[in-house]
Amino acid sequence: MRTKVGIIGAGPAGLFLAHLLDRAGIDNVLLEARSRDYVEARVRAGVLEPGTVDVMTQLGLDGRMRRESMIDRVIDFRFEGRIMRVPLEATTGQHVTIYGQQEVVKDLIAARLARGGEIQFEAPVTGLEGIDGTNPVIRYKHAGADHALECDVIAGCDGFHGVCRPAIPQSAITIYDHEFPFAWFGIISRSPPIAEMTYANHSTGFALCSRRSPQVSRHYVQVASNEDIDKWSDAQFWDALHLRMGDTGINEIIEGEIVQRDIAQLRAFVAAPMRYGRLFLAGDAAHIVPPTGAKGLNLAVADVRVLSRALEDFFRSNSTERLDRYSDVALRRVWKAVRYSTYMTNLLHRYDTHSAFDRKIQVTELDYISSSEAMQKALAENYVGLPFEDQ
Ligand code: RFL
Ligand code: PHB
């Protein structure tokens, strides 16, 4: 089998890239290790930047999102018994959209199939060959047989644990890795959420109240990296959330049936450059940000936006100029998101190693933000997403 662009991974990066290439008339094949059901059920992000919504709109994929999503024009921070409201729209003219990543994924899969495209599910890629030449080959398994896909270019959109990044010789890539000493225990509950997206800094740890719909809440509490969340009863989760949110009367956050529990280690990771020969990495395959800035999915979309334009030039006029710039352009945005997500993480989490001095500096930063329009604007412009760089 042969195609122009072999895309590995049907997460947001791979699916958006497939749609962008389809729109430009560039032949591509999308290979996904897991089943359609598995990919569609994977609960993750929820915050879409306006730039991500724009890409969905340009691709004609925004129908259900417009009907079912919610808009956040402000975000709240709670600390030391106070509530600080940071306006997004009043400071930046923009807002964020709350719509689950798995809903985005469902919409993109359905549209690809409805438009006559294909996605090979349950087709794990086992190896890449000839990525430093002009005709790389993807080896994968499907329905019990071994297959080979010849391409002009490979897009490695296979997430943090995929096979593409490890296929690059170690000497050709620099890894920047920072593991935070904590994780998020996340739940989905059938209960109406509180009014605003709320991040809490509490002396016992971070907490976040988000939502998926008027009837469904998405909440997180900071736990130790090696926490066994199966040992937490539902009641323990709710107690921690009420405490950290300052809901002392236990009447503000409404408890409901918990239908999903997950744990995510917080880390920042960047692999540079995001390219080796004819292999281009995009999304979590190249970088991870701690979720505190709500940037991971949005970065994946920003990467493939740059990559698809570069591929259009390449296949239209054989120009490699944009492809050669891809990694530099993408990494400038990535590093700003890493910086911001790390800043937000440090601002809001409990560190066991913090001295009384460190803790004072942390809450003073929050107090300063509450009194400074300039600080609020800087926080907000990053939260809604920095402008796309014109290439
Ligand atoms: P994905 O989504 O991991 O998709 C990669 C796909 O590749 C497949 N794959 C393979 N396929 C074929 N052969 C192989 N050998 C393969 N190996 C892997 C996988 O099965 C999978 O389908 O990566 P992608 O597309 O780069 O997308 C990245 C996002 O998923 C991620 O950055 C976000 O979920 C991060 N994130 C958030 N991002 C936001 O923008 N806003 C948020 O509010 C937000 N909240 C979050 C988050 C991530 C979280 N967790 C669980 C890590 C909240 C949490 C708790
Ligand atoms: C979510 O709704 O899942 C969510 C919201 C904000 C974050 C991370 C995750 O920073």
Side-chain angles (χ1 to χ4, degrees), residues 113-133:
L113 301 179
R115 291 171 185 180
E118 221 194 304
I119 303 172
Q120 298 254 327
F121 289 104
E122 298 174 79
V125 170
T126 51
L128 310 182
E129 284 163 20
I131 49 176
D132 44 6

Side-chain angles (χ1 to χ4, degrees), residues 9 11-13 32-33 42 44-46 101 125 158 283-284 294-298:
E32 166 57 48
R42 204 160 37 193
R44 284 184 168 178
Q101 176 170 325
V125 170
D158 53 345
D284 280 12
K295 289 280 160 267
L297 178 157
N298 295 296

Side-chain angles (χ1 to χ4, degrees), residues 72-79 83-92 94-96 196-199 340 343-344 347 365-366 368-384:
D72 270 343
R73 293 185 172 80
V74 303
I75 48 176
D76 277 2
F77 292 86
R78 297 189 181 192
F79 63 103
I83 299 182
M84 160 172 86
R85 180 148 299 177
V86 173
L88 302 176
E89 203 158 77
T91 49
T92 68
Q94 294 184 300
H95 54 251
V96 293
E196 303 300 348
M197 172 86 76
T198 303
Y199 294 82
Y340 177 65
Y343 168 76
M344 289 281 278
L347 181 67
E365 177 90 10
L366 283 160
Y368 175 44
I369 295 169
S370 74
S371 65
S372 162
E373 248 179 66
M375 288 296 283
Q376 291 185 11
K377 186 167 182 179
L379 196 148
E381 76 173 357
N382 280 277
Y383 199 81
V384 301

Side-chain angles (χ1 to χ4, degrees), residues 95-251:
H95 54 251
V96 293
T97 298
I98 310 301
Y99 189 60
Q101 176 170 325
Q102 76 273 32
E103 306 307 323
V104 175
V105 163
K106 277 184 212 161
D107 294 349
L108 268 63
I109 289 174
R112 165 98 172 174
L113 301 179
R115 291 171 185 180
E118 221 194 304
I119 303 172
Q120 298 254 327
F121 289 104
E122 298 174 79
V125 170
T126 51
L128 310 182
E129 284 163 20
I131 49 176
D132 44 6
T134 51
N135 287 299
V137 175
I138 301 174
R139 301 242 170 239
Y140 67 99
K141 292 195 181 297
H142 188 54
D146 291 324
H147 298 267
L149 173 64
E150 281 179 42
C151 325
D152 293 316
V153 168
I154 299 175
C157 302
D158 53 345
F160 188 61
H161 300 288
V163 296
C164 291
R165 193 182 62 251
I168 300 176
Q170 270 183 26
S171 59
I173 200 163
T174 304
I175 302 291
Y176 304 85
D177 194 7
H178 178 77
E179 201 163 300
F180 294 87
F182 36 73
W184 282 12
F185 173 10
I187 63 119
I188 289 201
S189 92
R190 289 195 203 286
S191 51
I194 59 173
E196 303 300 348
M197 172 86 76
T198 303
Y199 294 82
N201 170 319
H202 188 266
S203 58
T204 62
F206 168 84
L208 169 61
C209 286
S210 180
R211 65 202 192 282
R212 288 292 177 272
S213 77
Q215 271 72 47
V216 176
S217 298
R218 175 73 163 144
H219 299 310
Y220 302 92
V221 297
Q222 174 186 354
V223 294
S225 290
N226 57 359
E227 192 81 32
D228 182 358
I229 58 168
D230 292 340
K231 294 216 169 94
W232 281 58
S233 65
D234 290 358
Q236 275 174 301
F237 181 91
W238 291 115
D239 286 350
L241 192 66
H242 290 299
L243 174 71
R244 295 178 188 189
M245 284 287 157
D247 179 20
T248 42
I250 320 232
N251 50 16

